[in-house]
Amino acid sequence: MPFNLLLNNVSRYIHLTDAEKEIFISLLQEKQLKRKQFFLNDGEICKYSAFVTSGCLRGFTVDKNGIEHVLSFAPPDWWMADMYSLISKKPGTLNIEALEDTDIILLSKTNQEKLYLEIPKFERFFRILIENSLVANQQRIVDNLSLTAEERYNIFCKRYPTLINHLPQKQIASYIGVTPEFFSRMRNKH
Amino acid sequence: MPFNLLLNNVSRYIHLTDAEKEIFISLLQEKQLKRKQFFLNDGEICKYSAFVTSGCLRGFTVDKNGIEHVLSFAPPDWWMADMYSLISKKPGTLNIEALEDTDIILLSKTNQEKLYLEIPKFERFFRILIENSLVANQQRIVDNLSLTAEERYNIFCKRYPTLINHLPQKQIASYIGVTPEFFSRMRNKH
DNA sequence: ATCATTTCTTAACCTACATCATCTTTCCCG
DNA sequence: CGGGAAAGATGATGTAGGTTAAGAAATGAT
């Protein structure tokens, strides 16, 4: 059944009884996205966290010159949301788009709060999830401050080997923080 | 008493009974740092979260060329730790130094885990704390990807007005991601 | 299969910011 | 309050990466 990947993801950090699994699943919704379909547009309030079961999402902002900047990718087994908008309940700046046909499981903010009340263990689960995310983001800040584009690219390759293959170069370039032109030059030089 | 600032910080997100406050306080330690004294050196395992009650800390990494990069500042009412090292229990890369004489309250990782067991509400407290931190870090990544040094400086001034005054320029430059020389030029041109 | 769209490549030129060096100012500790 | 160290200012020059433009290759919807 389609919730297995998610239940497995959860069970890495907390143990759920069958009854608790039932409750959890009852608070979820499934959704399919077509390639290039948006899950969230900037200016909207983000009301759901998305867990990817197949395909891939990307989260990006658009700056005042119309240039896109990729904040994160979400391949299967990853969560994605506009964290700022989700917790503040204010319009956010993130766009979330499917890079290919993608299946996701949705947990609404409302249901997430229900979940915290009904199964407090989930406070722990999401705390740990967010801790890991924070560590990764802090490392990325340090990398952006201290490394060249080439070094950041090498790190990206090591950290997301599965993504490298089926991700357009320009998306990686944007994540790394360089233009597609420079990225192309960088890879083909030597 | 010296724990008031911290109890107030906690009470912004969860309510504690007097008994719970007692337990919490019993798990804390106070510590004073002299100006330039290190609270943590890279290569060490970070075993404590620090809550600043007076003074100011800075967290920074040193790159392979010996250049320092400021990841964060902690004025009073802020928490500081090497999150990576703290949760992985492995040696980290962060240095934490007092920028002036600084008073902190320590919560050891061990006691933090005790706290989660004895007063599960603290799972919620730290989850929310980390959520906010994650949002701020994601915004910083986006800013680094999409803004000029000058724009990042303006944002810094707005976001940390109290810090601007009594922080050496070179520390702000490092946080922004430019050299002290360029930062000086940037501020003095007009 | 085919055409349109998107993605990638390459080249010439440009700019934000770095580096190095020197000088002045501030500040902290005895 | 005085001297030494750290912080800041400023000029000359260097470079990683951006911009613009134009063609080649890959990809996806029909």
Side-chain angles (χ1 to χ4, degrees):
Chain A
M1 66 138 139
F3 296 113
N4 272 343
L5 189 65
L6 175 50
L7 288 172
N8 213 51
N9 180 279
V10 171
S11 72
R12 242 168 266 153
Y13 300 114
I14 56 173
H15 178 264
L16 295 180
T17 65
D18 286 350
E20 288 169 337
K21 285 179 188 171
E22 290 288 323
I23 296 174
F24 180 40
I25 289 173
S26 77
L27 295 173
L28 302 171
Q29 310 165 48
E30 293 176 73
K31 178 159 185 166
Q32 273 84 244
L33 298 171
K34 285 275 165 212
R35 170 170 211 272
K36 301 209 172 179
Q37 190 181 341
F38 278 63
F39 166 62
L40 183 74
N41 287 280
D42 55 20
E44 294 178 2
I45 295 177
C46 179
K47 296 191 164 145
Y48 298 89
S49 300
F51 177 84
V52 176
T53 56
S54 82
C56 189
L57 301 179
R58 73 170 176 131
F60 66 98
T61 59
V62 180
D63 71 22
K64 62 179 187 297
N65 302 315
I67 296 172
E68 299 181 356
H69 301 277
V70 174
L71 183 63
S72 62
F73 299 108
D77 208 33
W78 287 57
W79 290 85
M80 170 79 89
D82 181 339
M83 200 65 197
Y84 164 76
S85 175
L86 193 74
I87 71 180
S88 70
K89 295 175 179 168
K90 289 192 266 192
T93 56
L94 203 67
N95 300 276
I96 301 177
E97 182 198 15
L99 285 170
E100 49 193 280
D101 292 357
T102 297
D103 295 337
I104 58 182
I105 297 172
L106 298 182
L107 173 63
S108 72
K109 176 72 174 166
T110 316
N111 282 351
Q112 187 170 4
E113 278 160 7
K114 258 189 217 157
L115 197 58
Y116 289 148
L117 296 178
E118 294 187 26
I119 313 176
K121 269 180 286 191
F122 271 96
E123 292 264 11
R124 159 171 292 251
F125 172 70
F126 284 105
R127 174 179 60 74
I128 294 172
L129 216 63
I130 293 165
E131 276 176 0
N132 291 334
S133 187
L134 178 58
V135 166
N137 277 274
Q138 287 184 337
Q139 189 56 53
R140 187 167 169 201
I141 289 173
V142 169
D143 289 350
N144 284 344
L145 291 176
S146 59
L147 303 179
T148 64
E150 195 153 10
E151 290 167 324
R152 277 176 270 142
Y153 173 56
N154 290 332
I155 286 174
F156 185 90
C157 292
K158 268 182 210 151
R159 190 144 7 186
Y160 307 104
T162 56
L163 281 178
I164 286 295
N165 307 314
H166 69 147
L167 220 54
Q169 280 184 202
K170 56 180 294 199
Q171 303 300 347
I172 302 173
S174 171
Y175 182 96
I176 300 291
V178 295
T179 57
E181 293 89 340
F182 183 78
F183 187 78
S184 170
R185 231 182 308 177
M186 197 177 81
R187 287 188 61 241
N188 294 36
K189 82 133 185 277
H190 141 249
Chain B
M1 66 137 138
F3 296 113
N4 271 341
L5 190 66
L6 175 49
L7 288 173
N8 214 51
N9 181 278
V10 171
S11 72
R12 241 167 268 154
Y13 300 114
I14 56 173
H15 179 264
L16 294 181
T17 66
D18 286 350
E20 287 168 338
K21 284 179 190 173
E22 290 288 323
I23 295 174
F24 180 39
I25 289 173
S26 77
L27 296 173
L28 302 171
Q29 309 166 48
E30 292 176 73
K31 178 158 186 167
Q32 273 83 245
L33 298 171
K34 286 274 165 212
R35 171 171 210 271
K36 300 210 174 181
Q37 191 181 338
F38 277 64
F39 165 62
L40 183 73
N41 286 280
D42 56 18
E44 294 177 4
I45 295 176
C46 179
K47 296 189 163 146
Y48 298 90
S49 301
F51 176 84
V52 177
T53 56
S54 83
C56 189
L57 301 179
R58 75 169 175 130
F60 66 98
T61 58
V62 181
D63 72 20
K64 61 178 188 296
N65 303 315
I67 296 172
E68 299 182 354
H69 301 277
V70 173
L71 183 62
S72 61
F73 298 108
D77 209 33
W78 287 58
W79 290 87
M80 170 79 90
D82 181 340
M83 200 66 196
Y84 164 76
S85 175
L86 193 74
I87 71 179
S88 70
K89 295 174 180 167
K90 290 192 264 191
T93 57
L94 204 67
N95 300 276
I96 301 178
E97 182 197 14
L99 285 170
E100 48 194 279
D101 291 359
T102 298
D103 295 337
I104 56 181
I105 298 173
L106 297 182
L107 173 62
S108 73
K109 177 72 175 167
T110 316
N111 282 351
Q112 188 169 5
E113 277 160 8
K114 259 189 215 159
L115 197 59
Y116 289 148
L117 295 177
E118 294 186 25
I119 313 176
K121 269 180 285 191
F122 271 96
E123 292 264 11
R124 159 171 291 251
F125 173 70
F126 283 105
R127 174 179 60 75
I128 294 172
L129 216 63
I130 293 164
E131 276 176 1
N132 291 334
S133 187
L134 177 58
V135 166
N137 278 274
Q138 286 184 339
Q139 190 55 53
R140 187 166 169 202
I141 289 172
V142 168
D143 289 349
N144 284 344
L145 290 176
S146 59
L147 302 178
T148 64
E150 195 152 9
E151 291 168 324
R152 275 176 272 143
Y153 172 56
N154 290 332
I155 286 175
F156 185 91
C157 291
K158 269 183 210 152
R159 189 142 11 185
Y160 307 103
T162 57
L163 282 178
I164 286 294
N165 308 314
H166 68 146
L167 219 55
Q169 279 184 204
K170 57 180 292 199
Q171 302 300 345
I172 302 173
S174 172
Y175 182 95
I176 301 291
V178 296
T179 58
E181 292 92 335
F182 184 79
F183 187 78
S184 169
R185 244 179 291 232
M186 198 176 79
R187 287 189 62 242
N188 294 37
K189 84 137 185 273
H190 124 261

